[in-house]
């Protein structure tokens, strides 16, 4: 999945707003609408959990992949 596809999907789902500024090179700005900003805290918590358990997840993947 490309970054553009991911950003496009988020825009389609109204999780981000995309504004393109003409120029060379063109500039793109992404913002979160208020309802999407509610996701900020739970996403930070999920990110912190993933960082804390990164090694356990990597170990589980190796066990699964080589089973």
């Amino acid at each position: 999945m490309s970054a553009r596809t991911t950003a496009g999907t988020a825009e389609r789902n109204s999780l981000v707003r995309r504004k393109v500024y003409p120029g060379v090179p063109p500039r793109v700005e992404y913002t979160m609408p208020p309802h999407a900003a509610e996701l900020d805290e739970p996403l930070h918590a999920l990110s912190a959990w993933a960082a804390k358990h990164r090694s356990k997840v990597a170990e589980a993947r190796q066990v699964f992949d080589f089973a």
Side-chain angles (χ1 to χ4, degrees):
M1 181 182 307
S2 72
R4 174 63 187 127
T5 301
T6 303
T9 300
E11 183 179 13
R12 179 175 180 237
N13 291 329
S14 187
L15 296 175
V16 297
R17 291 187 181 130
R18 180 175 182 260
K19 184 171 183 175
V20 179
Y21 296 90
V24 178
R27 184 171 65 98
V28 179
E29 181 180 277
Y30 292 93
T31 58
M32 293 176 71
H35 72 278
E38 293 177 26
L39 293 170
D40 191 51
E41 187 176 331
L43 289 176
H44 280 289
L46 180 59
S47 177
W49 179 91
K52 180 178 179 181
H53 298 288
R54 180 184 338 247
S55 62
K56 291 178 184 176
V57 171
E59 183 181 322
R61 286 180 178 174
Q62 281 199 329
V63 169
F64 183 87
D65 291 346
F66 294 107

